[in-house]
């Protein structure tokens, strides 16, 4: 059955509850790249340094990492619908408060609250879509991945369009859109069945005792440092207007979505997951190195091109994380994401400080290239632990999302 076939109960013929959740998912993932084009504007508006403004990502992803231990605990007790609504409510409140910030410290704090709400929402959205969708899980996952890719691509664009007038407007815009999502889910989504067994706070940590899962998480930690150096530090290097920066990261997001959803599965089928991952990490390392040492045009091209490698990596990492151990998928995913999101918090903090310490814009990208290679080396050294079920996981595309945050 073709999940795109509107006549077969596919992606185009879904209940209102599914469309409401998918629409809110678009906005939720827009929030990740929303601030990219307006980072320089925020720094100027609040009299902050690039290092201080980069903490918007650090606080957001630090809370997201810790919240990965909480989401299963919460949703297994209050249910998926209430967890979605709680997450959306937190995003509405803290996104709105972000737009009222009078200092960079306030904005960083509000972004932390936003991160908690977003973690609760995205950790539950896919499971809800799968449970409520018509046409089977293939249609549901394709719809979710399409929503995710659209959000990652449109976040920078929305940030640029609204941020050109004021850096505050993208935050208010996000709060408004998430409020609409809250009302739609409240109106159209019924409560989903709760899992038979409640998840404890320590289950994800215990799952990391498996050597294969720990290896995937360690490799992804190094990779995520590279990923978020590109996402959080490059806007300062490009030093472009919000419109132009938004266009660059829109193209980046389009490549990320296309390579995650379409290209990565085909490469895995032909070459195998580990070869694809190792090769893509090395190519990403080369890309960010050229980004750091090239002229402005080269930096723009390499920034956009990095979206292709990031899309491939995210897909393969998530499938490996879910396939190398016998832990329940939500538990394995939570443990894996708990580790790797710490790197997403670290990169925005260290990249501008490395530039300050060394007096060179190139060195942060050298470090990012080294961490990408380190991720590839972990895959190479630990390939025996990763091979056991990696190829079994490769075709299981219904168990992943487009940026590597499995949220079942």
């Amino acid at each position: 059955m073709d999940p795109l076939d509107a006549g077969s109960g596919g992606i185009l013929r879904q209940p209102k509850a599914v469309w409401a959740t998918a629409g809110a998912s678009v906005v939720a993932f827009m929030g990740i790249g929303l601030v990219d084009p307006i980072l320089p504007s925020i720094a100027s508006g609040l009299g902050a340094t690039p290092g201080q403004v980069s903490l918007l990502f650090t606080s957001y992803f630090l809370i997201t990492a810790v919240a990965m231990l909480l989401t299963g605990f919460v949703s297994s007790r209050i249910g998926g619908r209430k967890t979605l609504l709680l997450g959306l409510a937190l995003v509405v409140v803290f996104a709105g408060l972000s737009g009222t910030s009078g200092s960079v410290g306030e904005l960083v704090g509000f972004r932390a609250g936003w991160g908690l709400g977003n973690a609760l929402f995205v950790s539950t959205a896919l499971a809800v879509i799968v449970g409520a969708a018509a046409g089977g899980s293939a249609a549901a996952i394709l719809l979710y991945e399409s929503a995710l890719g659209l959000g990652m691509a449109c976040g920078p664009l929305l940030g640029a369009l609204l941020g050109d007038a004021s850096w505050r407007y993208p935050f208010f815009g996000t709060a408004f859109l998430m409020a609409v999502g809250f009302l739609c889910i409240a109106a159209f989504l019924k409560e989903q069945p709760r899992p038979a067994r409640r998840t404890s706070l320590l289950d994800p940590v215990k799952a990391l005792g498996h050597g294969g899962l720990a290896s995937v998480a360690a490799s992804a930690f190094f990779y995520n440092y590279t990923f978020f150096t590109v996402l959080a530090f490059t806007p300062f290097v490009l030093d472009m207007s919000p419109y132009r920066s938004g266009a660059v990261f829109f193209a980046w997001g389009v490549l990320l979505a296309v390579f995650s959803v379409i290209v990565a599965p085909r490469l895995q089928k032909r070459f195998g997951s580990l070869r694809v991952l190792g090769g893509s990490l090395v190519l990403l390392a080369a890309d960010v190195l050229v980004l750091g040492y090239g002229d402005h045009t080269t930096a723009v091209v390499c920034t956009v091109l990095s979206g292709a490698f990031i899309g491939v990596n995210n897909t393969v990492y998530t499938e490996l994380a879910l396939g190398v151990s016998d832990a329940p998928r939500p538990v394995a995913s939570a443990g894996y994401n708990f580790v790797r999101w710490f790197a997403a918090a670290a990169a925005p903090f260290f990249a501008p400080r490395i530039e300050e310490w060394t007096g060179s814009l190139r060195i942060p990208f050298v470090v990012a290239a080294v961490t990408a290679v380190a991720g590839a080396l972990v895959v190479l050294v630990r390939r025996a632990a990763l091979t056991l079920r990696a190829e079994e996981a490769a075709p299981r595309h219904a168990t992943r999302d487009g940026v590597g945050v499995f949220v079942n």
Side-chain angles (χ1 to χ4, degrees):
M1 179 182 296
D2 184 356
L4 287 171
D5 184 1
S8 61
I11 188 173
L12 300 180
R13 298 187 62 182
Q14 298 295 335
K16 292 180 180 179
V18 173
W19 287 115
T21 307
S25 298
V26 172
V27 183
F29 285 104
M30 285 171 62
I32 295 178
L34 178 80
V35 299
D36 258 24
I38 58 173
L39 286 176
S41 300
I42 294 173
S44 176
L46 295 178
T49 66
Q52 291 174 320
V53 174
S54 68
L55 293 176
L56 296 177
F57 285 99
T58 297
S59 62
Y60 182 91
F61 288 114
L62 185 61
I63 295 301
T64 298
V66 176
M68 286 299 164
L69 301 181
L70 300 174
T71 52
F73 178 88
V74 173
S75 63
S76 65
R77 285 164 173 77
I78 69 173
R81 180 177 181 273
K82 291 180 181 178
T83 303
L84 287 179
L85 293 175
L86 175 60
L88 287 170
L90 289 173
V91 172
V92 170
V93 170
F94 285 105
L97 288 174
S98 294
T100 68
S101 300
S103 68
V104 69
E106 288 184 4
L107 184 54
V108 168
F110 293 144
R111 278 284 285 181
W114 186 343
L116 173 60
N118 215 49
L120 288 170
F121 176 81
V122 301
S123 67
T124 313
L126 180 56
V128 169
I129 289 177
V130 170
S137 62
I141 299 304
L142 183 58
L143 177 62
Y144 180 83
E145 289 183 341
S146 300
L148 188 150
L150 183 62
M152 289 294 291
C154 292
L157 200 59
L158 178 66
L161 293 174
L162 297 180
D164 189 60
S166 170
W167 65 264
R168 300 180 186 274
Y169 291 168
F171 297 112
F172 294 140
T174 301
F176 173 77
L177 291 174
M178 289 304 256
V180 172
F182 180 97
L183 294 176
C184 290
I185 289 177
F188 299 122
L189 180 65
K190 297 180 180 180
E191 186 56 82
Q192 304 297 299
R194 300 184 189 183
R197 176 182 175 274
R198 292 184 175 183
T199 301
S200 78
L201 293 175
L202 294 180
D203 282 349
V205 177
K206 293 177 181 178
L208 291 169
H210 185 279
L213 182 60
S215 299
V216 175
S219 179
F221 176 89
F222 289 117
Y223 154 68
N224 260 34
Y225 185 94
T226 308
F227 176 3
F228 285 94
T229 296
V230 173
L231 190 62
F233 186 64
T234 301
F236 292 106
V237 176
L238 298 180
D239 193 23
M240 303 168 75
S241 68
Y243 276 125
R244 292 184 177 182
S245 182
V248 169
F249 280 96
F250 173 74
W252 170 86
V254 169
L255 274 187
L256 187 153
V258 169
F259 274 73
S260 174
V261 177
I262 299 175
V263 178
R266 297 181 180 181
L267 291 176
Q268 288 175 272
K269 184 177 180 180
R270 181 170 181 179
F271 299 107
S273 297
L274 299 185
R275 289 182 180 178
V276 169
L277 181 59
S280 184
L281 284 169
V282 171
L283 289 174
L284 178 62
D287 180 77
V288 297
L289 200 59
V290 174
L291 193 163
Y293 278 85
D295 58 19
H296 189 268
T297 300
T298 302
V300 170
V301 172
C302 288
T303 299
V304 174
L305 184 59
S306 70
F309 305 125
I310 288 170
V312 170
N313 293 338
N314 289 343
T315 291
V316 180
Y317 268 121
T318 305
E319 293 182 345
L320 288 175
L322 299 174
V324 295
S325 75
D326 295 323
R329 289 172 179 173
V331 174
S333 174
Y336 159 74
N337 283 301
F338 172 70
V339 173
R340 77 187 189 99
W341 282 122
F342 277 109
F349 177 83
F350 284 111
R353 283 159 181 78
I354 292 173
E355 187 268 332
E356 293 174 4
W357 297 334
T358 62
S360 172
L361 285 172
R362 297 173 175 176
I363 302 303
F365 293 102
V366 173
V367 175
V370 170
T371 55
V373 172
L377 288 175
V378 172
V379 173
L380 176 64
V381 172
R382 295 290 295 168
R383 62 186 180 279
L386 298 175
T387 302
L388 181 60
R389 295 179 61 193
E391 298 313 313
E392 176 186 334
R396 213 167 51 203
H397 305 306
T399 64
R400 58 171 169 81
D401 68 30
V403 295
V405 187
F406 181 78
V407 292
N408 191 3

